Amino acid sequence: MRDPITPRELLEPLEPRTHLTATFFAGVGMAFAPNDFNGVGVDVFTVEGDIDNETGTASGDVFKARSGGRDFDQRLRYDRVFYLNDGRQERDDAEGFNDFYDNDEGEVNGAQFLSSRGFGAGWWLGDLNARAQELELMVELGDDVRDRDIEGSYRFTLIGIDLAADNFVSGSGRLDIDDERVRWSPTFGVAPTDADLVSVNDFGIGLTDEDEWFYLSRDQNTVLFADMDTNDDLIYFGFGVRTDTSVAFDDLVGGYNTAWGYVERDARSLGAPENILFEQTYLDLEQDGDYKLYDLDDWDSGIRDEPIEIGFWSVSSGRVTLEIRDTDTERTLYVGEDGNVLLGAAVEAPGPDSAILGIATEAFPPNPLDPVERSVISVPARNDLGREAVYELDDEGEWTQSDLELLTGGPSITGDVVAWIDTKDGLTYAAGVTAEGVALFTRDRFGEWSFTNLTSDLAGDAITRSLDLMIDPRGNAHLVGLGTDGDVLRYFQTGLGEEGSWVWNAQNISEDDLEPNDVETPPFEGELVAFATSWGALNVVGLDADGTIWSVWWAPTLLDWTASDLTTAYGADPLEGGLTVFLTSWSGINIAGIDADGDLRVSWWVPSFGGDWAQTNLTDDLNGPSLAVDSVTSLVSSWDGLTIAGVNTATNEVVTYWWAPALQGTGWRLASLSDATPAGTPNLVTELQGLAGDDASLNVFGYDAAGDFYRYYWQSDFAGVWMAENLIELAEPVTSS
């Protein structure tokens, strides 16, 4: 084997700072476009680049198959990747090899691919009404790969072009790689000729003497490949997986974001004797042995009653068979060793066998049944009996109030309580601090409440104060708080269990991560605030007795949690309390609090700051009033409107500092919500909660001087006026069935 290759395009960005925060990735793909034809009108390409784990920003190069081997074609057409809760990915701009999908006619979609996020391999598809399409397969790369790591046996699938015949071809079968040779053994369709493996570099990028490029995934379960020399009779792209022959049926139940590549025999799409067609679907492998295949756009839109294909599924020796109902046709897929990538190999029907390219990436987490009763707002508060309850607004505009202790028979909540609508299943959940541990309350899809004690179930340490909630980019809930000795504790969802409920785990962050690394747990005083960024960083912030902001945090680039003194980091003034955090779509982090003078200060960070933070005194900037230390809350609207609310210490009015994109360049504004609500509306004097509802409403909740629970709210058709309602009087109590 010759000296390892070191593509300049991949290695040049590896400055020391970038290397610490970057995830390196590769892609292989095929594209065709109108007015951009080369022979049969198709380009095979490869991509090499990096993604910053903290911001999602991406950079890299695209290479095109040419005579004599690949050549540089262009820089990436997108500069950022967003990760969605359902396992999909989006690009900004929404482009790939071609640059015209980001318009009214085009559509794009993708499945996540970073093994550091739990995905073995993914894909991205661009479609312009089937007149122009592209499909790119993607993996995260390692950075300390040995030659022998790529060796082994894989199942493969590919689509290529027979340049001599001007036809598209497909193939699937077995791929064997040793220290000298790459050997192809087709089961269906065609396969390339065997080739010499001449190089593998430290990133798992291999090259053969036929100018075939191989990319080994970081978890070493998947290999991408592309032939980049148009002088060959066959150029192609595809991927292979090491298969798991022991996988069980229950291990595969769930949903998969799936891309397919077909060689079309009827020439319905492109007008050549044999053509390609790429499509995106959602594959739902059900527990009862049925499967459904949906158009992915339909699935994303919540359409569940129009599957494009239904049938029965089974698994044997790592091979998944989909029997299409009322036909003699089967789809064959193979399970990768990582368990969350399936390789689609063939569609078998009466007549010639047909190889296909298929990649199914498990959607994390799967999508359970939609609830019968869906809420658009869920907020915790005390009811008229003084017990903790969850107030919910349904999609018909009706409020209900659920007394958690009464409806579940669970223990009394003696400390903080949180409530949320889970984006993964649409159900309402609540958690609270009790004398017996952390109580988890669940309202099922039929509206019935149940209770479990997470502390006793998981043998975890008990959170005794400062309970808060954060939702990570996958949609998983994390409950964080402090134990009796000040340890930072976490209870968190890890996936879907066998009974269809979410699996939870427990962690003592202080004992498990901070102490072993000689990091002291901050001496938190008062309430904690927890939040997760769009790039997967988890954060717990709070104040010590001196008013210093401390953050206990973890990011995908770290093995363990750590702690940082943010106040010292940006040289800011200490705060008295009232911490609230709001995040922006441009990856900004904003931590607001009150100083000793009652001034509202916002400590903020954006990616362009690097490791630096800034602090702004909004009270000084807008000549605003002093705010009560423990009254501050915040919310962010779906259109990136930012609102911070608090109680004026002199007048007891609720005032807001707010900003909207329309104010770009003109700064923040100050307003009184008490003035904006109808005459006679009582002031909210304590425990404010800001919330942007799923119905696009803006809400500030709190108690008046008499202890009644009120909602101030605004919607786009209110023409600047805020409304108010007493939820103690309005919400209908939920009764047990």
Side-chain angles (χ1 to χ4, degrees):
M1 191 175 294
R2 73 185 186 191
D3 292 338
I5 52 175
T6 54
R8 62 168 180 82
E9 311 82 25
L10 186 60
L11 298 183
E12 279 183 353
L14 302 189
E15 302 170 355
R17 180 188 61 80
T18 305
H19 186 73
L20 292 175
T21 61
T23 290
F24 303 102
F25 73 95
V28 299
M30 179 181 286
F32 62 89
N35 303 319
D36 185 23
F37 291 99
N38 174 23
V40 292
V42 175
D43 288 304
V44 173
F45 62 89
T46 62
V47 176
E48 295 167 7
D50 61 82
I51 295 176
D52 190 288
N53 292 312
E54 296 182 354
T55 64
T57 56
S59 62
D61 295 325
V62 181
F63 304 88
K64 186 175 181 178
R66 298 278 175 85
S67 175
R70 77 170 194 174
D71 195 11
F72 173 78
D73 185 68
Q74 60 193 2
R75 296 287 292 169
L76 288 187
R77 294 186 185 272
Y78 58 96
D79 54 21
R80 191 170 178 191
V81 177
F82 296 95
Y83 303 115
L84 307 184
N85 291 338
D86 56 3
R88 293 185 300 116
Q89 58 158 319
E90 292 183 347
R91 294 176 173 180
D92 184 20
D93 295 320
E95 311 294 0
F97 184 86
N98 295 319
D99 63 354
F100 41 68
Y101 302 113
D102 194 9
N103 57 45
D104 293 337
E105 293 183 76
E107 66 174 2
V108 295
N109 228 317
Q112 295 187 40
F113 63 94
L114 296 179
S115 58
S116 56
R117 299 177 61 87
F119 299 89
W123 53 269
W124 188 85
L125 184 146
D127 186 7
L128 190 67
N129 296 330
R131 294 186 296 110
Q133 291 185 315
E134 66 180 83
L135 175 62
E136 180 183 343
L137 312 179
M138 308 177 73
V139 294
E140 179 180 351
L141 297 174
D143 56 9
D144 190 19
V145 179
R146 301 162 300 180
D147 292 356
R148 62 178 179 272
D149 290 336
I150 201 172
E151 297 172 13
S153 184
Y154 305 80
R155 298 297 309 196
F156 80 85
T157 179
L158 63 81
I159 279 186
I161 311 166
D162 183 337
L163 296 172
D166 258 12
N167 282 340
F168 295 97
V169 295
S170 54
S172 61
R174 195 180 74 249
L175 167 64
D176 294 294
I177 302 176
D178 60 29
D179 62 344
E180 294 183 349
R181 295 283 285 172
V182 173
R183 296 177 174 85
W184 308 86
S185 303
T187 303
F188 302 101
V190 303
T193 58
D194 297 347
D196 291 334
L197 181 64
V198 297
S199 180
V200 179
N201 75 0
D202 292 343
F203 296 97
I205 303 176
L207 179 65
T208 73
D209 62 348
E210 297 292 333
D211 211 60
E212 297 159 316
W213 289 76
F214 286 79
Y215 298 95
L216 182 65
S217 64
R218 186 180 188 89
D219 61 15
Q220 299 182 6
N221 293 316
T222 305
V223 63
L224 309 182
F225 49 77
D227 185 284
M228 299 296 287
D229 187 355
T230 58
N231 288 335
D232 300 341
D233 289 337
L234 178 69
I235 61 172
Y236 59 88
F237 84 108
F239 78 110
V241 296
R242 305 182 199 264
T243 58
D244 181 0
T245 58
S246 64
V247 67
F249 181 94
D250 289 344
D251 296 331
L252 298 175
V253 172
Y256 298 81
N257 294 312
T258 308
W260 305 94
Y262 303 94
V263 173
E264 290 287 277
R265 306 299 177 184
D266 59 4
R268 64 191 173 103
S269 58
L270 301 179
E274 292 181 342
N275 302 290
I276 52 170
L277 176 66
F278 300 137
E279 68 178 18
Q280 52 182 350
T281 64
Y282 184 90
L283 173 62
D284 192 9
L285 301 181
E286 299 177 352
Q287 183 69 56
D288 60 4
D290 289 344
Y291 83 88
K292 296 182 176 68
L293 198 65
Y294 299 86
D295 178 271
L296 186 52
D297 286 332
D298 287 348
W299 180 269
D300 293 343
S301 301
I303 300 173
R304 303 291 189 267
D305 56 355
E306 298 179 9
I308 58 178
E309 184 178 301
I310 58 176
F312 314 98
W313 75 279
S314 60
V315 59
S316 177
S317 299
R319 172 174 163 163
V320 176
T321 301
L322 308 181
E323 301 179 44
I324 304 175
R325 183 174 294 176
D326 299 326
T327 74
D328 295 324
T329 303
E330 296 179 347
R331 292 180 185 261
T332 301
L333 304 97
Y334 291 89
V335 184
E337 276 188 353
D338 58 10
N340 61 18
V341 175
L342 308 182
L343 179 146
V347 173
E348 300 179 58
D353 293 337
S354 178
I356 60 173
L357 185 150
I359 179 168
T361 301
E362 186 175 15
F364 189 93
N367 293 273
L369 292 173
D370 288 334
V372 173
E373 302 181 27
R374 180 176 290 277
S375 297
V376 295
I377 292 176
S378 175
V379 61
R382 294 182 295 276
N383 60 18
D384 56 347
L385 300 176
R387 289 201 294 257
E388 295 294 345
V390 174
Y391 290 79
E392 293 181 82
L393 179 66
D394 66 24
D395 51 12
E396 299 296 325
E398 300 295 326
W399 280 97
T400 59
Q401 172 258 115
S402 297
D403 185 317
L404 297 174
E405 181 182 348
L406 177 66
L407 293 174
T408 66
S412 298
I413 296 175
T414 57
D416 298 315
V417 60
V418 296
W420 71 99
I421 301 169
D422 198 309
T423 58
K424 305 185 298 297
D425 57 19
L427 302 180
T428 300
Y429 295 80
V433 173
T434 78
E436 301 174 13
V438 178
L440 175 68
F441 303 90
T442 303
R443 192 182 193 201
D444 68 21
R445 63 185 302 267
F446 301 106
E448 296 295 317
W449 284 93
S450 61
F451 152 79
T452 187
N453 187 319
L454 289 179
T455 300
S456 60
D457 288 352
L458 300 172
D461 295 317
I463 293 176
T464 58
R465 63 185 176 96
S466 301
L467 177 71
D468 201 24
L469 165 77
M470 62 179 157
I471 306 296
D472 69 27
R474 294 181 178 177
N476 288 327
H478 300 247
L479 303 169
V480 299
L482 298 174
T484 54
D485 54 1
D487 283 354
V488 179
L489 309 176
R490 177 173 70 124
Y491 290 83
F492 57 102
Q493 292 176 334
T494 61
L496 194 64
E498 294 181 358
E499 303 301 322
S501 58
W502 303 112
V503 177
W504 288 77
N505 204 346
Q507 180 187 19
N508 185 320
I509 295 173
S510 296
E511 289 185 358
D512 296 345
D513 286 9
L514 300 186
E515 292 177 13
N517 291 294
D518 296 324
V519 177
E520 292 188 9
T521 298
F524 288 116
E525 299 283 343
E527 298 298 315
L528 300 181
V529 180
F531 63 95
T533 67
S534 60
W535 56 92
L538 309 179
N539 305 264
V540 182
V541 298
L543 300 176
D544 65 15
D546 297 324
T548 299
I549 299 177
W550 285 93
S551 174
V552 175
W553 60 283
W554 173 90
T557 54
L558 299 180
L559 293 177
D560 297 323
W561 288 69
T562 189
S564 299
D565 171 356
L566 296 185
T567 296
T568 300
Y570 54 70
D573 292 333
L575 301 176
E576 293 288 311
L579 286 189
T580 184
V581 174
F582 54 99
L583 309 177
T584 65
S585 64
W586 51 91
S587 297
I589 301 173
N590 303 267
I591 304 173
I594 305 300
D595 67 14
D597 297 323
D599 287 358
L600 175 63
R601 293 179 177 268
V602 180
S603 306
W604 56 289
W605 176 92
V606 291
S608 61
F609 283 5
D612 298 326
W613 286 68
Q615 190 180 72
T616 300
N617 187 323
L618 286 181
T619 301
D620 279 353
D621 287 354
L622 297 177
N623 194 28
S626 296
L627 299 181
V629 168
D630 294 325
S631 69
V632 179
T633 188
S634 60
L635 60 102
V636 179
S637 72
S638 58
W639 57 91
D640 287 324
L642 312 179
T643 300
I644 308 171
V647 175
N648 184 327
T649 56
T651 65
N652 280 341
E653 293 177 281
V654 176
V655 297
T656 62
Y657 291 82
W658 64 279
W659 179 91
L663 299 178
Q664 184 76 36
T666 64
W668 287 70
R669 301 287 178 86
L670 177 66
S672 168
L673 286 193
S674 297
D675 287 345
T677 53
T681 299
N683 287 325
L684 307 181
V685 296
T686 185
E687 298 183 53
L688 300 189
Q689 300 180 64
L691 180 67
D694 288 346
D695 58 351
S697 62
L698 305 183
N699 306 269
V700 177
F701 299 90
Y703 298 95
D704 69 1
D708 283 353
F709 187 58
Y710 268 84
R711 175 200 187 200
Y712 290 0
Y713 64 104
W714 176 91
Q715 291 177 303
S716 59
D717 56 353
F718 285 6
V721 175
W722 283 68
M723 302 300 293
E725 51 192 13
N726 185 332
L727 296 186
I728 292 285
E729 297 177 353
L730 186 63
E732 186 72 20
V734 173
T735 58
S736 180
S737 61

